[in-house]
Amino acid sequence: MTSGGDSPGMNAAIRAVVRTAIFSGLDVFGIYRGYEGMIDNQIEQLYSSSVSNIVQRGGTVLKTARSKRFMEYNGRLQAYNNLREHNIDALVAIGGNGTFTGASIFDREFDFPIIGLPGTIDNDLYGTDATIGYDTAVNTVVEAADKIRDTANSHERLFFIEVMGRDAGFIALRSGIACGAEFILVPETTTYIDNFTRLLKHDWRKSKTSGIVIVAEGDDSGGAYEIAKQVKERLPEMDARVTILGHIQRGGSPSGFDRVLASTLGYIAVKGLLGGHRGEMAGIVNKEVVFTPFEKAIKHHKDINKEMLEMSRILAL
Ligand code: F6P
């Protein structure tokens, strides 16, 4: 099952789960539309051929959804009855925070073994260095920012580019470093508008005639439009523009990194279930497979590397 926001590489993970399970002598079922499909019994047996030619495709062939009904006991009970009806006795749930919160409650209520795979572009899960889709999303941002840089240069403009990440700044930080952003604004640090405009002014006086500011959507400045408005009020001479990258960050063919990560974790998920793991997310930390209890994966935020933030600023001076 894939659930929550889709991310590039989910298909590679589905393929790995299906084929590893079949190789291990198991029957495999796909649940469509996440927990919604579990409640509505949208469950079908999958075969090796069901997952042919998908390793390179973005999105998820199982579709996905965010389910309000699964937050209620009656929804979960209905879902449990459907799983029993199909003789399903373990689940691989590919998703993020919401998916694992639901999985954790479901396991406690119905004693149901579940392994989670980190499928989200946000990279906001503890217990894995990277989530499936994060690398591709960063590459998408970098490609877009490079294009914006061309026009920013030609017109001598300042661009505020807003990127996804919910309340985490991982996409912003990594893509900002890669595209040489002048500033990166993330929720993990406070943005002081007066300080920010002072630095901008200083940069422009010294050498800059154009620039890129990567703004994480969860930044406390209120997002790219808000910060651009405040900068224009203070520095009316600056020709500023805003680009919200939005859902293009969630689509596209997964990078090689994401395909390998997803394939490895899909394989590990089945092996883990067969080896008695449950209630945990499979991840890779320092090249090692790690199983992290759902509660920890959700609640213990990975820290953003503040030194990388400082580095990005030094390198852009
Ligand atoms: O969690 C992935 C994500 O793309 C976030 O970065 C973003 O805040 C959110 O999902 C958007 O969700 P939706 O597609 O439901 O609007």
Side-chain angles (χ1 to χ4, degrees), residues 96-131:
N97 278 294
T99 307
F100 298 160
T101 304
S104 179
I105 296 169
F106 193 73
D107 182 11
R108 251 182 282 131
E109 275 173 352
F110 301 103
D111 190 22
F112 202 90
I114 305 175
I115 285 290
L117 294 188
T120 166
I121 62 167
D122 299 339
N123 199 31
D124 58 347
L125 291 164
Y126 183 84
T128 191
D129 289 338
T131 54

Side-chain angles (χ1 to χ4, degrees), residues 8 56-58 136 251-255 259:
Q56 78 282 18
R57 282 169 56 194
T136 308
S253 180
S255 65
R259 294 182 202 190

Side-chain angles (χ1 to χ4, degrees), residues 51-291:
V51 292
S52 293
N53 201 19
I54 66 167
V55 72
Q56 78 282 18
R57 282 169 56 194
T60 159
V61 290
L62 290 179
K63 315 287 183 194
T64 187
R66 303 189 196 275
S67 175
K68 286 218 167 67
R69 287 187 293 161
F70 200 76
M71 292 177 186
E72 308 293 332
Y73 176 77
N74 284 343
R76 294 194 293 273
L77 180 62
Q78 180 65 50
Y80 176 71
N81 290 336
N82 292 334
L83 295 181
R84 298 296 341 148
E85 189 191 304
H86 290 275
N87 281 326
I88 293 171
D89 41 27
L91 173 69
V92 178
I94 309 168
N97 278 294
T99 307
F100 298 160
T101 304
S104 179
I105 296 169
F106 193 73
D107 182 11
R108 251 182 282 131
E109 275 173 352
F110 301 103
D111 190 22
F112 202 90
I114 305 175
I115 285 290
L117 294 188
T120 166
I121 62 167
D122 299 339
N123 199 31
D124 58 347
L125 291 164
Y126 183 84
T128 191
D129 289 338
T131 54
I132 298 165
Y134 168 58
D135 182 65
T136 308
V138 167
N139 290 338
T140 300
V141 173
V142 171
E143 200 185 327
D146 287 350
K147 290 180 177 158
I148 291 170
R149 174 77 78 180
D150 290 342
T151 177
N153 256 323
S154 311
H155 287 265
E156 306 193 305
R157 282 175 172 162
L158 175 67
F159 269 84
F160 292 89
I161 304 178
E162 185 175 295
V163 302
M164 280 187 169
R166 206 178 288 276
D167 54 2
F170 295 104
I171 296 177
L173 176 59
R174 202 164 175 80
S175 60
I177 292 170
C179 72
E182 274 64 26
F183 293 92
I184 304 170
L185 307 182
V186 294
E188 290 82 355
T189 60
T190 309
T191 302
Y192 297 103
I193 184 71
D194 289 324
N195 190 35
F196 175 64
T197 40
R198 192 177 48 75
L199 290 172
L200 265 178
K201 209 169 163 183
H202 170 263
D203 282 9
W204 256 246
R205 272 221 200 96
K206 217 176 112 211
S207 56
K208 304 265 179 195
T209 56
S210 67
I212 300 277
V213 182
I214 299 282
V215 186
E217 64 178 351
D219 185 60
D220 63 346
S221 59
Y225 275 113
E226 182 54 33
I227 192 136
K229 190 175 125 230
Q230 295 194 30
V231 166
K232 277 184 192 170
E233 279 163 17
R234 288 166 175 80
L235 304 172
E237 69 278 14
M238 259 193 194
D239 196 6
R241 292 289 188 278
V242 173
T243 302
I244 311 279
L245 291 185
H247 286 80
I248 65 162
Q249 293 162 95
R250 287 243 294 268
S253 180
S255 65
F257 179 90
D258 273 329
R259 294 182 202 190
V260 175
L261 176 66
S263 301
T264 309
L265 290 179
Y267 169 83
I268 291 299
V270 177
K271 293 261 171 194
L273 278 171
L274 290 172
H277 281 278
R278 60 183 291 171
E280 294 165 306
M281 182 194 85
I284 295 186
V285 177
N286 287 334
K287 301 202 172 95
E288 297 286 338
V289 172
V290 175
F291 288 93

